[in-house]
Amino acid sequence: MGGQYAPEGAEGPKLHVIITDAWLARSQALHLSGWKLLLAGFLTSLLLVMGAIASYHWFFLEGVRQGWPGFASVARLVHQNELDSKDAYLRANLDAMARKLGEMQARVMQVDALGERVAGLAGLNADDFKRDGAGGALVADRSLSLDELMVSLDRLDGVTESQVDWLTVVESRLFDQRIQRSLVPTEEPVDGGRIGSGFGFRIDPITGRRAMHTGLDFPAEKGTPILAAAGGVVVVQEYHPAYGKMVEIDHGNDLITRYAHASRIHVKKGDIVRRGQHIADVGSTGRSTGPHLHFEVWLAGVPQDPRRFLDAGEQLARSTGTPAR
């Protein structure tokens, strides 16, 4: 077998390979050029590399199995390097998880502090709802093992579960308080209206005698909207000789509001109304000297000064920065 490399000419590099068979006294020529030459070189290099790798692994593995001198120590060294690499990878991931767990713990503590402040607004004591062992540090200021990390995760899960229960109680209490406030007549029945006659004894403008005035008068133009001072159920919608066209709303807990002298009523008995709803228009029906709303608040059958309820609504609006309704 022989080969001859042709110099590069107009047609590119060429390789001539002549194969001679001494027994058969014959020869065969192969001509490689262009891409065939490159492919042949690539295949030859690939076979040489694969052969070297196969020889190395066979030689190394055979030496380890047969216990040839020196091979066992090399195998232990390779195995130890693999273990060290895996341990370093695991340690890096555990440290990253521990740092993330520490950040989660800090956020949980912030939520816990916020929950306690909100609970104070709801009139609740946070200590009555905290579970034993729920507090305290979850992550130590050092590297953690996998078992320690799992224990810390379990404790964090317990803390968050306790916080969810606690915040659910706070939400329920705040919702109850909101409902109760919506049923207390603290909304002014005439938007921006001024008060004429107040609650208490006065000189009756019709009889000229001293008499008890059981509500507040809001002078306003005829047709001015009359608003429900709180949510409730309409229990009276009728014409009364003294009160004229009037509406009474039951707010529960023996609390009733009355709206009198209306020119027109927009609700009927049995209707459920919300706070601030337009229920009637100002008028001068019944025993009246001019257009105005006569507004009363009754508690357990006893007339109350409506100004106390309206003032409470104004104070609440100022303290919270929100409208009383």
Side-chain angles (χ1 to χ4, degrees):
M1 175 179 177
Q4 181 178 3
Y5 177 74
E8 183 177 354
E11 299 179 355
K14 296 182 179 179
L15 178 65
H16 303 286
V17 180
I18 300 176
I19 302 175
T20 303
D21 191 337
W23 293 93
L24 299 178
R26 54 184 295 187
S27 61
Q28 185 175 359
L30 297 177
H31 304 282
L32 302 177
S33 63
W35 67 271
K36 292 182 179 180
L37 181 61
L38 294 177
L39 180 61
F42 174 75
L43 292 176
T44 301
S45 301
L46 182 62
L47 290 174
L48 290 175
V49 172
M50 294 180 63
I53 294 175
S55 298
Y56 169 77
H57 279 279
W58 176 87
F59 182 74
F60 180 74
L61 294 177
E62 186 66 18
V64 173
R65 284 196 296 268
Q66 298 296 332
W68 294 348
F71 279 82
S73 59
V74 174
R76 286 194 298 270
L77 180 61
V78 171
H79 182 66
Q80 184 62 41
N81 288 336
E82 292 179 352
L83 291 178
D84 292 342
S85 299
K86 292 180 179 178
D87 183 70
Y89 177 78
L90 180 61
R91 170 49 53 195
N93 281 272
L94 285 176
D95 291 342
M97 293 175 64
R99 287 192 297 270
K100 193 65 177 179
L101 186 61
E103 295 174 1
M104 293 172 62
Q105 177 194 5
R107 292 191 179 96
V108 166
M109 294 175 65
Q110 291 176 350
V111 172
D112 194 44
L114 177 61
E116 291 184 7
R117 292 196 295 270
V118 175
L121 297 176
L124 297 173
N125 184 2
D127 295 335
D128 295 338
F129 294 86
K130 287 184 177 180
R131 300 193 316 179
D132 294 338
L138 299 175
V139 180
D141 187 17
R142 59 180 177 81
S143 297
L144 298 178
S145 66
L146 180 59
D147 291 339
E148 290 174 327
L149 187 61
M150 294 305 297
V151 171
S152 296
L153 285 171
D154 289 339
R155 293 184 61 192
L156 181 60
D157 181 66
V159 171
T160 54
E161 181 182 355
S162 176
Q163 283 186 335
V164 169
D165 294 341
W166 157 240
L167 292 176
T168 300
V169 173
V170 174
E171 179 190 31
S172 177
R173 176 61 65 87
L174 290 175
F175 181 75
D176 289 343
Q177 292 180 355
R178 180 178 179 183
I179 293 297
Q180 291 298 324
R181 285 197 299 268
S182 69
L183 298 177
V184 177
T186 55
E187 178 75 12
E188 288 195 0
V190 176
D191 192 14
R194 64 181 180 85
I195 297 177
S197 296
F199 178 86
F201 285 96
R202 67 168 186 172
I203 301 299
D204 190 294
I206 295 178
T207 65
R209 297 179 180 178
R210 191 169 184 267
M212 177 67 180
H213 188 235
T214 55
L216 297 179
D217 287 343
F218 291 86
E221 294 183 3
K222 182 179 180 180
T224 301
I226 297 174
L227 311 177
V233 179
V234 177
V235 292
V236 174
Q237 183 266 304
E238 64 182 16
Y239 185 91
H240 188 277
Y243 291 106
K245 292 181 180 180
M246 76 170 190
V247 175
E248 288 186 2
I249 300 177
D250 188 347
H251 307 286
N253 298 319
D254 289 331
L255 190 60
I256 292 177
T257 54
R258 178 179 295 164
Y259 312 79
H261 306 307
S263 61
R264 184 180 178 187
I265 296 177
H266 302 287
V267 295
K268 62 182 183 299
K269 184 177 180 179
D271 285 353
I272 298 176
V273 298
R274 67 182 183 280
R275 172 189 294 269
Q277 180 176 332
H278 182 187
I279 60 173
D281 297 332
V282 169
S284 185
T285 58
R287 190 172 178 271
S288 171
T289 58
H292 72 285
L293 166 68
H294 177 77
F295 175 62
E296 296 181 355
V297 176
W298 292 71
L299 179 61
V302 179
Q304 307 292 319
D305 185 357
R307 186 75 266 174
R308 293 168 44 208
F309 295 88
L310 300 180
D311 288 344
E314 292 178 357
Q315 292 176 3
L316 178 63
R318 286 195 297 268
S319 63
T320 59
T322 58
R325 73 178 63 182

